[in-house]
Amino acid sequence: MLLPRVRSAARRLGRDLPLACRGCSRHAGAKGLVLGIYSSEKDGGAAQLTSAGDAFDRLVSGRLRELVSICGPPLKKGKTRIFHGLHQDFPSVAVVGLGKKNAGINDQENWNEGKENIRAAVAAGCRQMQDLEIPCVEVDPCGDAQAAAEGAVLGLHEYNELKQKKKPVVTPQLHGRAYARGARVLLASEQTSLLSESRNAESEAWQKGVLYAEGQNLAQYLMEAPANYITPIKFAEHIEQKLRSFGNVKVHIRPESWIVTQQMGAFLSVAKGSAEPPIFLEIHYSGGANASDHPLVFVGKGVTFDSGGISLKPSSGMDAMRADMGGAATVCSAIVTAAALNLPLNIIGLAPLCENMPSGKANKPGDVVRAKNGKTIQVDNTDAEGRLLLADALCYAHSFNARAIVNAATLTGAMDVALGSAATGVFTNSSWLWNHLYEASVVTGDRVWRMPLFQHYTKQVTDSPLADLSNIGKYSRAGGACTAAAFLKEFVTASHWAHLDIAGVMSNKDEVPYLRKGMAGRPTRTLVEFAARLSQDSHNTT
């Protein structure tokens, strides 16, 4: 079971735990309260408060329900309404719309609609409290404490490290402890025991949600930070610092000399254009029962700034290429979260880190480089550099006798064209692996969509006039995400491998309501949920 592990992980993390999972007792000021309300099942019918909402309504002698009914039309999902002065402990109460009560898995949308509704509603309520400068907010679990915690912590996150004027810090906390204690006085001992067990499970689910959300927030932080603040070495040191408190994690920050000895010529060819030296970050998390258990290997593209090299990108929007290390950010953040959750499996994380810059030493279009496995690559476009890093990293990944290899990369603009920000594109040679990724994404709401790995695309990258492979398809932009995946497949012999092209989900405008505008940190929670499910699956076959 994961929940007891979450509790022990929280104790071990101590003062390094995020604000969201500490109590509000240190705040002497007012508290806010976020409560959920369901839409009526019938048109014109009365809306239904959650269990916590009902308890609070009884506490204030029915005034909450009365105010909700007379203060405008029924609340739609994701919308909020603020009430003041209902209770001395909570001067401000936000009621948030959860949509239909029995919303579950939506087969058309490929996610759990109920969980998504909770995340969006709680995020909206917490932001309202932040606008009111209320420092501490208690949050209704809304029937799913993990989803509520994710909505609260993700919804409040914003990168403001470099601004003098910052938004007020808000600490969300699970609501209901005090009312549960009061209820015990009125219940028989057997009922009291059941209530206690329910509250413990709810608290642990909340804490799990906090850890999932903080993992994604870490990825957002790394992706949003300017490229002069997150260089290859600073990225590696930041991750090392996050993992320092865990006794079952080893972090190796491999310098350029090590990369040379590994004969990673493709990776080095990209790095040589920059004054920033490359780093190969290697993380070993030993959570399995045996050190010899086959590990899950995560590989993440870590281009901390991508100018395009000699094939220079347009200046408009180039600043966003500080997030071209999103693959490394998400897989490393997923491992940090797995360690905090104490997941019972072994994970290895690999992140080739460098910049892609134009200079007299940079790759030139038409150059031929040699990858770790001996294959030669004609570099027809220096802006298709991520696949060169991944080629060498994937070769190295095979040295660990992996249970599965999963790589993530902001690899192609073509992926954004194909799917936009709706889902991560997944290319895989394993239906077993795809099923785990898909099922994880339904739970997290951070969706995946399977893409083709046809030989049709392989022929387009293996038909090169000068080398074994070309780093772009011979028909240029046609099927660009697919030809990039076909290129990577040339460096994979493992029977369970998946390539996640996360270019389309790199940033958020307003598509995901519980994320602010900016870099999204997706699909970190899906990777964590995938690892959690894999840790419970003793089989490794389709």
Side-chain angles (χ1 to χ4, degrees):
M1 292 294 290
L2 290 177
L3 293 179
R5 294 175 179 273
V6 174
R7 186 169 53 218
S8 64
R11 286 197 296 265
R12 287 167 50 208
L13 280 169
R15 61 182 177 85
D16 293 327
L17 276 171
L19 286 174
C21 53
R22 302 177 195 160
C24 299
S25 58
R26 71 183 187 283
H27 295 298
K31 285 185 183 181
L33 177 61
V34 175
L35 296 171
I37 189 168
Y38 299 107
S39 302
S40 171
E41 295 294 329
K42 299 178 181 178
D43 291 339
Q48 182 181 348
L49 291 166
T50 61
S51 299
D54 267 333
F56 183 79
D57 184 57
R58 290 193 298 272
L59 194 67
V60 296
S61 305
R63 282 191 295 155
L64 176 64
R65 194 181 301 273
E66 179 185 358
L67 287 172
V68 168
S69 66
I70 64 175
C71 292
L75 271 176
K76 295 181 179 179
K77 67 179 180 182
K79 300 299 182 182
T80 64
R81 196 165 291 155
I82 298 284
F83 302 104
H84 302 285
L86 280 171
H87 193 277
Q88 62 182 8
D89 291 346
F90 303 104
S92 298
V93 177
V95 178
V96 297
L98 299 172
K100 300 290 185 183
K101 183 176 183 179
N102 296 318
I105 293 175
N106 186 322
D107 291 329
Q108 294 298 312
E109 292 293 330
N110 289 358
W111 62 20
N112 188 310
E113 190 170 342
K115 290 177 181 290
E116 280 295 283
N117 289 350
I118 293 168
R119 293 181 187 110
V122 168
C126 288
R127 287 172 184 168
Q128 287 269 21
M129 295 298 169
Q130 187 174 48
D131 290 342
L132 294 171
E133 300 187 1
I134 296 172
C136 182
V137 179
E138 293 200 8
V139 177
D140 178 354
C142 300
D144 190 324
Q146 181 178 345
E150 289 173 9
V153 177
L154 290 169
L156 289 167
H157 175 78
E158 185 173 35
Y159 183 86
N160 58 11
E161 297 289 307
L162 306 177
K163 292 183 178 181
Q164 289 186 332
K165 187 177 181 180
K166 304 177 191 292
K167 288 188 176 181
V169 175
V170 176
T171 304
Q173 179 186 37
L174 180 63
H175 175 65
R177 291 189 180 92
Y179 300 108
R181 284 196 297 270
R184 288 192 192 105
V185 177
L186 305 175
L187 296 173
S189 59
E190 184 177 341
Q191 291 173 303
T192 302
S193 176
L194 290 172
L195 178 62
S196 178
E197 288 178 14
S198 174
R199 290 303 301 165
N200 287 340
E202 210 166 56
S203 295
E204 290 180 355
W206 171 270
Q207 180 58 39
K208 182 179 176 184
V210 167
L211 293 174
Y212 271 56
E214 286 294 337
Q216 183 167 344
N217 287 348
L218 172 59
Q220 288 185 66
Y221 172 89
L222 292 166
M223 295 169 71
E224 194 71 78
N228 60 325
Y229 279 73
I230 300 293
T231 61
I233 185 62
K234 288 177 181 176
F235 181 106
E237 288 172 348
H238 193 86
I239 292 298
E240 182 185 39
Q241 186 274 327
K242 289 290 181 182
L243 290 167
R244 193 168 292 161
S245 62
F246 299 101
N248 58 351
V249 179
K250 292 182 179 178
V251 179
H252 305 282
I253 299 177
R254 312 287 194 187
E256 185 172 5
S257 57
W258 180 90
I259 300 168
V260 171
T261 64
Q262 291 295 314
Q263 299 182 312
M264 295 182 176
F267 175 25
L268 288 167
S269 76
V270 177
K272 67 183 181 181
S274 173
E276 290 287 347
I279 293 292
F280 194 94
L281 178 62
E282 184 175 330
I283 304 166
H284 290 249
Y285 165 66
S286 301
N290 300 301
S292 59
D293 289 347
H294 299 312
L296 165 64
V297 177
F298 281 141
V299 181
K301 170 189 169 184
V303 178
T304 58
F305 187 76
D306 181 16
S307 69
I310 298 297
S311 306
L312 196 67
K313 293 178 182 290
S315 59
S316 177
M318 193 193 287
D319 66 296
M321 290 299 98
R322 66 187 183 276
D324 205 31
M325 29 60 77
T330 54
V331 302
C332 291
S333 297
I335 295 173
V336 171
T337 308
L341 290 164
N342 199 20
L343 292 185
L345 82 165
N346 297 330
I347 306 176
I348 292 173
L350 308 174
L353 298 158
C354 71
E355 294 181 336
N356 183 27
M357 299 291 285
S359 74
K361 295 182 178 181
N363 269 340
K364 303 172 292 295
D367 282 1
V368 174
V369 301
R370 189 178 299 275
K372 181 175 173 61
N373 66 350
K375 288 187 177 181
T376 54
I377 304 164
Q378 183 173 332
V379 183
D380 286 326
N381 187 327
T382 66
D383 194 22
E385 86 298 334
R387 63 202 72 182
L388 301 180
L389 277 68
L390 290 173
D392 282 337
L394 286 169
C395 291
Y396 183 63
H398 284 73
S399 63
F400 297 104
N401 195 17
R403 185 179 180 189
I405 299 174
V406 176
N407 74 259
T410 50
L411 205 63
T412 66
M415 193 74 258
D416 187 22
V417 171
L419 296 181
S421 59
T424 293
V426 176
F427 301 82
T428 181
N429 60 2
S430 167
S431 293
W432 169 82
L433 193 51
W434 160 251
N435 288 335
H436 274 297
L437 285 165
Y438 172 74
E439 289 167 4
S441 77
V442 170
V443 172
T444 63
D446 200 347
R447 296 173 290 194
V448 295
W449 188 258
R450 192 169 188 176
M451 301 289 288
L453 267 178
F454 301 149
Q455 279 294 117
H456 173 91
Y457 302 112
T458 301
K459 293 175 183 177
Q460 295 179 41
V461 295
T462 54
D463 187 6
S464 171
L466 300 178
D468 297 320
L469 299 163
S470 172
N471 77 326
I472 57 172
K474 67 177 181 179
Y475 301 131
S476 187
R477 295 176 63 84
C482 301
T483 55
F487 176 92
L488 295 180
K489 188 170 179 283
E490 292 299 299
F491 299 90
V492 173
T493 58
S495 56
H496 299 293
W497 162 71
H499 157 55
L500 278 59
D501 193 332
I502 64 173
V505 301
M506 181 179 82
S507 63
N508 189 65
K509 295 181 281 293
D510 57 9
E511 308 94 319
V512 182
Y514 49 87
L515 300 180
R516 294 195 193 269
K517 183 179 179 180
M519 299 307 168
R522 297 171 60 191
T524 303
R525 286 180 301 115
T526 294
L527 292 174
V528 175
E529 180 66 20
F530 161 72
R533 286 169 174 264
L534 202 64
S535 72
Q536 304 300 315
D537 181 2
S538 59
H539 302 288
N540 194 28
T541 55
T542 54

